[in-house]
Amino acid sequence: MGVPSDDDAVLIQKGKKPGEPYVITVNCPDKTGLGCDICHIILEFGLYTTKADVTRALDELELSIQRVKVTTTPDGCVLDLFFIRDNLELLHTKERQNETCEQLHAVLGESCISCELQLAGPQYDNLLCISSMSSVVAEELFRCTLSDKEIRSQALSPDVRELKKASVITDNSLSPSHTLLQINCIDHKGFLYDIMRTLKDCNIQIAYGRFSTVQKGRRELDLFIRHQDGKKIVDPEKQEALCSRLKLEMLHPLRVVITNRGPDTELLVGNPVELSGRGRPRVFYDVTFALKSLGICIFSAEIGRHSAADREWEVYRFLLDENCTFQLSNMVIRNQIVDKVRRILMGW
């Protein structure tokens, strides 16, 4: 990694014509995973909706949600308990605490009865432990492949399944010092982030690349890559392992399952954690937005980490309120919920 200099800059240029996208130019020292870090930041700032809720307010304040407990009290009030980390590391100051409470009061209006901030002490240790997960649910959530023949809640709807045919190939004939990686895949929110985080975790450096505009819902991406030691990727087994890993991440970077948890209905969303320990941005916000748009209330919610398939996962668990217009035990309804949540997460 290079040393920062006075030439480091981030330039944001508005599109030349109405409706054209903004162009962001970043000039900084190179390092392995630079593209992943930039894409992570871009995804954090994602496309906002016109209505706000608590998760968006916290996101705007640069407060990362570590864990959540959301419960409905007998008198119909909602108690939201957020375990958060301040990305600015200023939450210990009175000014930062007041700013946070004022922002939440502004978002929630008269519906906010009280807002308090305090250091999470040992009395909350039991809330920081994620509830146990059955082996059947864990297998469904973390399995490496999806079978179209199996009738499961994770199965993709026919129209999406037709589009999700990722092509990932390597070519060493075009450059004497780099391996060409060609990717053709359906476009989705976080498309570049998913590729960059995978390459970063595999210690792959990107020299340069290009990607096309969206055509019929798909993107094409060409990247000239090499190992961290500067060598091309010539081992066929390593080429196949990299392509397979990328295909998996393109097929379903987020896992969505709906199941029974005792007498209740539970929605689970899982996403891989980067080797650096960072989770995917905005997942909690997108899921709560999707459920809200369906008119489904959340009885309780929690976020935790789970190890499976030789990697760490961030798992979001939502107990759904049965007192809604949907018959949550109906399999058709459940598949509709899964499809809606997935589409919001993927930006479709």
Side-chain angles (χ1 to χ4, degrees):
M1 177 179 177
V3 178
S5 67
D6 294 335
D7 295 329
D8 297 350
V10 178
L11 178 64
I12 302 178
Q13 296 175 296
K14 190 176 181 180
K16 296 181 180 179
K17 298 179 181 179
E20 287 188 350
Y22 285 73
V23 177
I24 302 178
T25 304
V26 181
N27 180 31
C28 67
D30 189 24
K31 67 171 185 177
T32 300
L34 176 63
C36 172
D37 295 339
I38 294 175
C39 289
H40 189 281
I41 295 171
I42 292 174
L43 187 57
E44 277 188 313
F45 283 88
L47 295 175
Y48 284 107
T49 55
T50 55
K51 289 187 177 181
D53 59 17
V54 174
T55 54
R56 175 179 168 184
L58 294 176
D59 188 58
E60 289 178 339
L61 287 166
E62 296 192 54
L63 296 171
S64 299
I65 301 172
Q66 301 297 299
R67 186 162 175 77
V68 181
K69 278 286 185 180
V70 183
T71 56
T72 304
T73 61
D75 59 356
C77 294
V78 176
L79 175 63
D80 296 339
L81 189 60
F82 289 86
F83 293 87
I84 58 177
R85 184 184 70 239
D86 188 3
N87 296 333
L88 302 180
E89 299 184 352
L90 295 173
L91 205 52
H92 62 281
T93 66
K94 193 66 177 177
E95 181 180 0
R96 180 67 161 157
Q97 293 176 10
N98 290 338
E99 177 193 19
T100 300
C101 289
E102 289 172 2
Q103 181 71 5
L104 292 174
H105 276 291
V107 169
L108 296 173
E110 297 180 356
S111 63
C112 181
I113 300 175
S114 65
C115 176
E116 300 177 5
L117 283 172
Q118 65 183 59
L119 185 65
Q123 67 270 29
Y124 294 105
D125 286 349
N126 63 321
L127 292 179
L128 291 172
C129 299
I130 191 168
S131 304
S132 60
M133 185 186 305
S134 72
S135 58
V136 175
V137 174
E139 180 184 1
E140 173 74 10
L141 193 62
F142 303 125
R143 61 196 172 115
C144 295
T145 58
L146 291 178
S147 173
D148 295 336
K149 297 180 180 179
E150 297 175 354
I151 304 176
R152 298 193 180 202
S153 58
Q154 180 104 315
L156 301 174
S157 55
D159 57 329
V160 178
R161 186 171 61 245
E162 179 63 26
L163 287 173
K164 294 183 78 67
K165 296 178 180 178
S167 171
V168 182
I169 59 176
T170 57
D171 189 341
N172 278 310
S173 64
L174 298 179
S175 171
S177 56
H178 296 89
T179 297
L180 173 62
L181 178 67
Q182 295 181 303
I183 300 173
N184 183 295
C185 179
I186 186 174
D187 189 41
H188 65 264
K189 184 166 60 178
F191 168 77
L192 282 177
Y193 168 69
D194 287 324
I195 296 173
M196 298 301 177
R197 68 172 170 82
T198 302
L199 295 177
K200 178 183 178 181
D201 286 351
C202 294
N203 289 320
I204 299 295
Q205 288 184 331
I206 302 172
Y208 53 94
R210 63 188 178 193
F211 65 93
S212 66
T213 57
V214 179
Q215 296 181 357
K216 296 182 179 180
R218 303 183 72 89
R219 276 195 186 276
E220 290 186 356
L221 179 65
D222 293 340
L223 298 174
F224 285 86
I225 62 175
R226 61 187 179 186
H227 286 297
Q228 196 170 11
D229 60 8
K231 297 179 180 179
K232 297 174 66 172
I233 306 171
V234 295
D235 187 331
E237 291 186 0
K238 291 183 178 180
Q239 291 179 7
E240 178 60 29
L242 178 61
C243 291
S244 297
R245 175 76 178 273
L246 284 166
K247 283 182 180 180
L248 176 63
E249 300 301 335
M250 295 299 97
L251 280 171
H252 50 146
L254 295 130
R255 316 295 176 84
V256 185
V257 169
I258 193 167
T259 186
N260 294 325
R261 183 173 170 184
D264 302 313
T265 301
E266 182 178 45
L267 176 74
L268 298 97
V269 178
N271 60 267
V273 175
E274 296 177 28
L275 290 182
S276 63
R278 293 189 306 187
R280 192 183 189 87
R282 295 176 55 86
V283 175
F284 190 85
Y285 171 76
D286 283 342
V287 176
T288 54
F289 174 78
L291 293 174
K292 180 180 178 181
S293 66
L294 289 171
I296 297 175
C297 296
I298 300 170
F299 179 75
S300 68
E302 56 182 291
I303 306 172
R305 297 289 173 95
H306 188 93
S307 296
D310 298 324
R311 64 195 308 186
E312 189 177 24
W313 299 77
E314 198 164 51
V315 181
Y316 300 76
R317 305 180 68 168
F318 303 87
L319 281 182
L320 306 183
D321 191 345
E322 300 289 343
N323 298 321
C324 63
T325 56
F326 293 96
Q327 185 64 38
L328 297 180
S329 60
N330 185 289
M331 186 56 67
V332 174
I333 297 298
R334 289 189 171 194
N335 287 337
Q336 290 176 354
I337 294 173
V338 168
D339 188 62
K340 178 67 174 180
V341 170
R342 182 185 288 111
R343 286 178 179 278
I344 293 295
L345 286 167
M346 300 293 279
W348 292 335

